[in-house]
Amino acid sequence: MSASSLVRLEGRSIRTVAMAMAMRKSRFTLGARNLYSDRRCASKERWAVPQLAAGSWPHRLHSTATRALAESEHNAVGLVLHNSMTRQKEPFRPMRDDGVVTMYVCGVTVYDYSHIGHARAYVSFDILYRFLEHLGYNVTYCRNFTDIDDKIIDRAAQVGRDPLELSKEFAEEFNKDMDMLGCRRPTLEPLATQHIPDMIDSIARIIENGHGYVVEGDVYFDVKSLPGYGKLSGRQLDDNRAGERVSVDERKKNPGDFALWKSAKPGEPTWESPWGPGRPGWHIECSSMIRAILGETIDIHGGGSDLLFPHHENELAQARATCCNHQHSSDPQYFARWWVHNGFVNVDSEKMSKSLGNFFTIRSVLESYHPLALRWFLVGTQYRQAINYSHRALDEASDRLFYLYQTLFDATEALDVDREEYPMETEMIRDVYDALGDDLNTPLVLAAFSPALKTLNDLVHTKKGKKRQDRVPVMAGILNAFDVSLKLLGLHPAQQDKEFQDMLTELKVSALQRADMSEEDVQGAIDTRAEARAAKDYEAADSVRKALESKGIYIMDTPQGTSWRPGCPSTE
């Protein structure tokens, strides 16, 4: 499959992608196949990726089977990542040759519970974090908290709270949400208020270099003073607006100038500065913290597409204006070598917005759906594409996740061997590496699961499968491949100290909550159906079955008895 074909597949459904994968006879490979095959790539230099030194594969991720695959001379695992600055995908190479990668992702403004847009962003970067480490890199992942801002101050005033206490509370709640979604904690989680001196230092440098000006205790950035402003977002100066969270100040030189420092107002937290007491503007936070914590230039800067302008554009401008070496700061790779942005979340095909009443917090979604069902839904769309949130989509994600865990549970129970002795199933893991290596194409990863799950079910449940001579090594290889793949996606139960059986139970509990039923209610309906069938009243029995299916409860008749499993509510 060509590179352009993979790009076209990014926005398709998992089912469509699975069909395309089944039909392909050759692969465009950026992962575990021979990267330098003349048939797949005309230019070795263009697609060259860092090779892993023997023994460098992270031991914590899997067994010798994984390391052997990664270290093979003809099976280099690499990453091509889209860069918003160049507007194209590029082979990822970190700045340093010792395997260290620095990644900064803009965090939340903590004044309320986090919403599904936040979930989309931080699940995406969590997968990037996992994959980079899987490639053998030593990743410093930094994600900040904006704990002082107009919105925090306004909300604190509404509820009669101290702004800093309010922001601390919601920072803790945010981390609880991320934990439930299976997101690993970043290496660093700095608070903006911990770096006020760094922000003051940055502002002073910007003024000294002729890119900032003071107006009655406020400090503004002069966007027209910096050549190249707008390059990241592709916007012209005449198109720009302040992008601030307050109305435009008439005292500014240009409408697009933005606040670096805001003078003190009654009742607001303030800090002393050379320009008088006040607090930092929104944009100065991240660029100052990056410079103070990670250095002048980092490998990856990430965030949602809504941050591309004005926030990231202004971050870049501030970083360049702070630098004394103007020739150095004009380098397009200065400050961040890769700019990575995830797509928007739409709700029932409309942009998510509080004003439209289609705004959902993570907490409200998790009242009815399992956290990893939400995560499965999110990874079902490639991170740069817009994703359409709906209850039906979450129902389908829950159904698919239950099928996955049930299949893996059944196979694990049926296989009484030490799986460490068996290598991973190479076809599946190569497809997974190919997909993740191509700009984190997670829909293709999920599509790669389908044939493997079918094979497992055949080997576990069919007479023909049970008689296969290679049944044990095939099952062990597939289960080993799933261990690695699910950990890369953050979907493995072991990462939450749980087993597959635990996840099945929790998914059933969530299904009962959505159906507004108890386990006893379902069992009562099953008994009623059994009585109707015994009386040969098949119409009544079928009515009970359909009523349950309309609520997402599916009856399963087996030789061992009748049970139920969750599924998508029937629309009949």
Side-chain angles (χ1 to χ4, degrees):
M1 184 175 287
S2 68
S4 59
S5 297
L6 284 174
V7 174
R8 290 195 297 272
L9 285 173
E10 287 173 348
R12 294 189 183 181
S13 68
I14 297 170
R15 182 177 301 173
T16 303
V17 172
M19 292 174 62
M21 289 180 66
M23 295 173 61
R24 69 186 184 177
K25 295 183 180 179
S26 62
R27 294 172 175 81
F28 170 79
T29 302
L30 300 172
R33 298 188 187 278
N34 181 0
L35 190 64
Y36 302 129
S37 169
D38 292 338
R39 291 176 299 150
R40 297 187 175 98
C41 183
S43 171
K44 296 180 182 180
E45 210 35 57
R46 181 185 177 194
W47 293 111
V49 295
Q51 301 291 312
L52 294 175
S56 67
W57 197 262
H59 71 277
R60 61 186 177 277
L61 288 169
H62 203 59
S63 64
T64 54
T66 302
R67 294 195 295 274
L69 179 64
E71 293 166 2
S72 169
E73 180 181 355
H74 299 294
N75 291 299
V77 181
L79 172 64
V80 170
L81 197 59
H82 187 271
N83 191 343
S84 298
M85 175 65 80
T86 61
R87 294 161 181 79
Q88 65 182 7
K89 291 191 283 189
E90 301 171 342
F92 178 74
R93 299 186 187 89
M95 289 183 296
R96 295 169 52 169
D97 58 10
D98 60 358
V100 173
V101 171
T102 49
M103 179 170 74
Y104 185 97
V105 176
C106 289
V108 291
T109 301
V110 279
Y111 69 100
D112 203 347
Y113 291 107
S114 298
H115 53 71
I116 55 176
H118 295 134
R120 205 292 164 86
Y122 302 122
V123 165
S124 298
F125 288 101
D126 180 62
I127 293 173
L128 178 56
Y129 182 25
R130 292 171 185 271
F131 191 52
L132 285 169
E133 287 204 333
H134 195 73
L135 293 178
Y137 295 118
N138 179 11
V139 183
T140 298
Y141 175 17
C142 183
R143 184 182 67 208
N144 74 299
F145 285 111
T146 296
D147 60 337
I148 186 65
D149 178 81
D150 294 334
K151 290 186 176 182
I152 297 172
I153 293 169
D154 292 344
R155 178 60 58 85
Q158 292 171 11
V159 298
R161 298 276 304 278
D162 175 77
L164 297 181
E165 289 181 0
L166 182 76
S167 61
K168 180 181 178 181
E169 174 187 328
F170 280 113
E172 292 171 353
E173 296 302 322
F174 168 83
N175 273 331
K176 291 178 183 178
D177 287 343
M178 295 300 106
D179 290 344
M180 287 190 288
L181 288 173
C183 292
R184 294 173 55 193
R185 294 288 180 93
T187 317
L188 302 166
E189 293 186 284
L191 303 175
T193 53
Q194 294 173 334
H195 290 272
I196 301 295
D198 296 317
M199 298 174 201
I200 292 173
D201 179 67
S202 294
I203 295 169
R205 288 169 179 260
I206 291 170
I207 295 173
E208 182 180 350
N209 291 337
H211 300 294
Y213 57 95
V214 183
V215 180
E216 300 173 0
D218 295 323
V219 183
Y220 290 98
F221 189 98
D222 183 356
V223 295
K224 288 190 175 180
S225 70
L226 189 71
Y229 179 83
K231 183 175 182 179
L232 175 61
S233 62
R235 297 169 67 106
Q236 301 297 320
L237 274 175
D238 292 341
D239 300 330
N240 294 339
R241 296 294 182 264
E244 286 294 300
R245 300 182 178 190
V246 294
S247 58
V248 175
D249 192 329
E250 296 297 332
R251 301 172 301 164
K252 295 191 296 183
K253 293 181 179 179
N254 313 293
D257 293 353
F258 55 90
L260 298 170
W261 186 261
K262 299 182 177 184
S263 58
K265 296 181 177 60
E268 293 185 359
T270 59
W271 289 262
E272 291 299 323
S273 80
W275 318 285
R279 58 184 175 87
W282 174 37
H283 306 300
I284 195 65
E285 296 175 9
C286 293
S287 58
S288 299
M289 286 189 282
I290 287 172
R291 179 169 164 265
I293 299 171
L294 302 176
E296 280 194 2
T297 299
I298 58 176
D299 290 297
I300 299 170
H301 195 322
S305 296
D306 56 322
L307 298 182
L308 183 60
F309 183 87
H311 188 50
H312 287 170
E313 189 72 70
N314 290 347
E315 275 192 62
L316 177 58
Q318 290 165 159
R320 292 177 57 207
T322 303
C323 181
C324 296
N325 187 334
H326 291 285
Q327 183 177 0
H328 176 55
S329 69
S330 63
D331 183 340
Q333 291 191 326
Y334 178 73
F335 187 52
R337 289 164 57 84
W338 266 264
W339 291 88
V340 181
H341 294 92
N342 63 272
F344 291 111
V345 175
N346 298 324
V347 178
D348 291 326
S349 301
E350 288 188 302
K351 184 179 178 181
M352 187 176 69
S353 169
K354 286 185 177 180
S355 61
L356 295 175
N358 62 356
F359 181 87
F360 296 97
T361 65
I362 296 171
R363 295 286 173 92
S364 65
V365 173
L366 298 188
E367 289 175 1
S368 301
Y369 295 95
H370 193 280
L372 295 190
L374 176 56
R375 188 174 179 112
W376 179 283
F377 159 72
L378 293 171
V379 302
T381 299
Q382 202 267 352
Y383 77 93
R384 286 192 292 116
Q385 309 303 315
I387 187 170
N388 188 45
Y389 173 91
S390 68
H391 292 306
R392 185 66 183 179
L394 273 179
D395 289 336
E396 292 172 353
S398 299
D399 179 53
R400 192 63 183 170
L401 191 63
F402 190 91
Y403 168 69
L404 169 75
Y405 289 149
Q406 184 69 66
T407 302
L408 297 179
F409 172 74
D410 291 345
T412 302
E413 291 292 296
L415 191 67
D416 187 20
V417 298
D418 182 4
R419 288 194 280 118
E420 289 289 320
E421 299 177 2
Y422 297 92
M424 287 189 292
E425 200 284 321
T426 55
E427 185 74 12
M428 172 184 159
I429 200 65
R430 282 169 174 168
D431 286 341
V432 169
Y433 287 154
D434 286 355
L436 288 177
D438 184 44
D439 199 26
L440 304 182
N441 202 330
T442 50
L444 279 178
V445 176
L446 300 188
F449 291 173
S450 296
L453 291 172
K454 183 181 184 302
T455 298
L456 282 180
N457 275 314
D458 288 342
L459 293 170
V460 172
H461 298 294
T462 68
K463 290 182 180 180
K464 182 179 179 181
K466 291 178 181 179
K467 292 180 180 180
R468 278 182 57 171
Q469 292 184 349
D470 61 349
R471 180 174 184 262
V472 169
V474 171
M475 288 177 63
I478 292 175
L479 288 172
N480 286 340
F482 268 113
D483 278 348
V484 172
S485 302
L486 292 180
K487 287 174 183 177
L488 287 172
L489 294 183
L491 290 168
H492 202 295
Q495 293 169 313
Q496 298 188 0
D497 297 322
K498 295 178 181 179
E499 305 287 343
F500 291 124
Q501 183 63 57
D502 299 323
M503 309 308 290
L504 293 171
T505 300
E506 292 176 6
L507 285 164
K508 292 180 78 171
V509 169
S510 294
L512 291 172
Q513 291 174 332
R514 295 193 296 276
D516 194 22
M517 299 180 73
S518 65
E519 187 75 49
E520 291 75 18
D521 293 334
V522 174
Q523 187 57 52
I526 290 174
D527 293 342
T528 299
R529 174 177 174 266
E531 292 171 0
R533 294 182 69 183
K536 297 186 178 181
D537 188 352
Y538 299 114
E539 184 176 348
D542 203 43
S543 177
V544 171
R545 177 185 60 79
K546 289 182 178 180
L548 288 174
E549 289 179 357
S550 70
K551 296 184 176 183
I553 307 296
Y554 285 78
I555 294 175
M556 302 174 66
D557 294 314
T558 69
Q560 292 75 36
T562 301
S563 60
W564 70 275
R565 60 150 288 169
C568 294
S570 172
T571 57
E572 292 183 6

